[in-house]
Structure formats: structure tokens, C-alpha cells
Amino acid sequence: MAAIRPSNPLALAVLVLLWERPMHPYEMSSTLRERRKEDSIKLNYGSLYSVVESLQKRGLIEAAETVREGRRPERTIYAITETGAQVMVDWMVELLSTPKKEFTQFEAALSLAGALPPEQVIELLGQRLRNLRFHQKAVEAMFEEARAVKLPRLFMIEAEFSAALLTAEIAFVEQLLAELRTGTLGGFAMWQRMHELRRAGVPPEKIEAKLNVEFADELAFAQDEDA
């Protein structure tokens, strides 16, 4: 099954929709938007057609019939195959049961933040925190609206997960900013000194040598690894 299974979450969404009932691509798109799945799954009409074509080539869905409504162009209605249904189930089981490392852009930026001077990172994280808090208010308003119309919680669980991640990120950025602003983050002085030397025009190899001397204790771990 794994050999024919795609990795795009949109493909899984298409399989689930066709497991419910046969549809044509436009109906798939409108159904996903009506259910606000674009908040959780990257969706655009062009990519949806590509996914549908890929799933058909893999034998996971098939063209069931072609229909024409009035003067509109013909539309192909797709249905899930037996293999597609099994792949959908296996895929869902794996995603729900097995945690996997996901490489987010923010995590990548944090891992490379040393390339920017501390004061700029502080400013940028402050902007991020304001944006996160603004987004959190919008999420809270969405939940209030859902409660007002008595929307069953089943249809909001992905939004609850997203909100939990948002809350955790806000707490993380707040703590990180506090340590950066007070200079108490481990390695902060070394980071600051590196950029001071760069601004002074010191060549990279000399910067490394100076840091090795000035921050010998903090860099002892690197020397242990080299030994």
C-alpha cells in the first residue's frame, strides 16, 4: 500500500470525500471550503486537479461517469476504488497513531537565528508575538461563533489542536523574548560579540579565534566533541 500512497494531505482529503460519495473536482473543492478544511489543508483548485489525476493513475480513484448540467462543460465524477479505501484507512491509522517529525519554517528560522544580530531578532520576535496574539483573538472569536450556533465539537477538533499549538507558541516566544531582552539566554553574550566583530570588519577566521578565547568555557562542549 505504501508504494502507491501519495504524501500530500490534500490527497487524503480527496479520498475521504470520495469515500463519503462520488464527486467531481469542483464539488470536492466547494465541500472542503464549506467545511473550512482549507484552514488545515493547503487547497487551491489547480492543485486539486493534479491530486485527482495522480490518485487516478495510482488506481486509488476512478472515473465513475461524466455529466453535463445545462450549458456547463462536461464534468467527470470520481469514485474511490477498493484499494483507495484501504489506503485511506491505513493512512488515517498511521497519521492518528504515530507522531512524526514535522519541519516547520519557524523552527528552521530559530535554528539559524544566529545569522542576525540579537537586537534584530528581538525586534522580529516582538512582531511575531503581536501577530500571534492578534491571530489568537481571531481564533477565540471563531470558537465563540461556533458555540453560538451549537456546532458539534467533532467539527472543531482540528481547530482546537491548532489553537493549542498557537497558545504554546505564544508562551514559548514570550519566554524566549524575556531571556533575550535581559541577556540571560545561554550564549547570548557570545552571539552579541560575534556581530560586534563582524560590524568591525574582523575576518571570519579571526572572529572564530577570538570567540574561542573569550568564551572558552561556553565552547568547551565543542572541544570535547572534537577530542
Side-chain angles (χ1 to χ4, degrees):
M1 293 296 182
I4 63 172
R5 193 182 80 187
S7 58
N8 186 349
L10 182 56
L12 178 59
V14 169
L15 290 176
V16 170
L17 288 177
L18 297 183
W19 171 79
E20 293 179 11
R21 60 182 172 83
M23 296 184 188
H24 52 71
Y26 181 81
E27 188 178 9
M28 297 176 203
S29 177
S30 59
T31 300
L32 289 171
R33 294 186 191 282
E34 286 170 6
R35 298 177 182 179
R36 300 189 65 169
K37 299 305 179 186
E38 72 272 18
D39 292 341
S40 306
I41 300 169
K42 188 174 182 180
L43 170 65
N44 65 65
Y45 201 56
S47 61
L48 179 62
Y49 265 105
S50 297
V51 164
V52 168
E53 183 179 354
S54 174
L55 290 174
Q56 186 178 19
K57 286 181 179 178
R58 294 166 189 259
L60 305 181
I61 66 174
E62 61 187 3
E65 61 176 312
T66 301
V67 297
R68 182 191 295 273
E69 297 177 3
R71 296 182 178 180
R72 293 180 178 178
E74 288 186 343
R75 288 177 173 174
T76 301
I77 295 178
Y78 294 90
I80 195 168
T81 64
E82 184 177 343
T83 300
Q86 187 59 55
V87 165
M88 181 205 72
V89 171
D90 292 344
W91 197 351
M92 287 292 296
V93 167
E94 180 181 325
L95 290 180
L96 288 171
S97 65
T98 309
K100 283 191 175 181
K101 170 68 178 176
E102 298 186 37
F103 297 89
T104 69
Q105 294 186 44
F106 182 46
E107 183 177 351
L110 287 172
S111 73
L112 303 170
L116 299 179
E119 61 272 16
Q120 185 177 9
V121 172
I122 290 172
E123 180 184 353
L124 294 172
L125 288 177
Q127 292 177 16
R128 185 180 189 90
L129 185 57
R130 289 190 292 273
N131 289 331
L132 289 171
R133 287 171 174 164
F134 179 81
H135 183 45
Q136 188 177 49
K137 289 181 180 179
V139 169
E140 290 171 354
M142 179 187 68
F143 280 117
E144 288 178 7
E145 181 182 345
R147 285 191 291 269
V149 299
K150 297 182 179 180
L151 185 68
R153 191 178 169 202
L154 172 64
F155 301 110
M156 293 294 291
I157 52 176
E158 72 270 31
E160 288 185 13
F161 175 68
S162 180
L165 293 180
L166 178 61
T167 299
E169 184 176 338
I170 287 174
F172 173 83
V173 174
E174 285 176 337
Q175 179 62 35
L176 179 58
L177 267 174
E179 293 183 44
L180 289 172
R181 286 168 174 160
T182 57
T184 55
L185 182 74
F188 183 87
M190 180 172 56
W191 177 19
Q192 197 169 46
R193 178 62 172 151
M194 178 186 72
H195 283 278
E196 287 175 356
L197 293 170
R198 288 182 66 89
R199 284 192 289 266
V202 178
E205 62 276 9
K206 290 188 177 181
I207 290 177
E208 184 176 356
K210 282 181 175 290
L211 294 178
N212 283 333
V213 172
E214 295 177 20
F215 299 93
D217 290 342
E218 289 190 61
L219 294 172
F221 75 93
Q223 296 173 359
D224 292 341
E225 289 177 356
D226 293 338

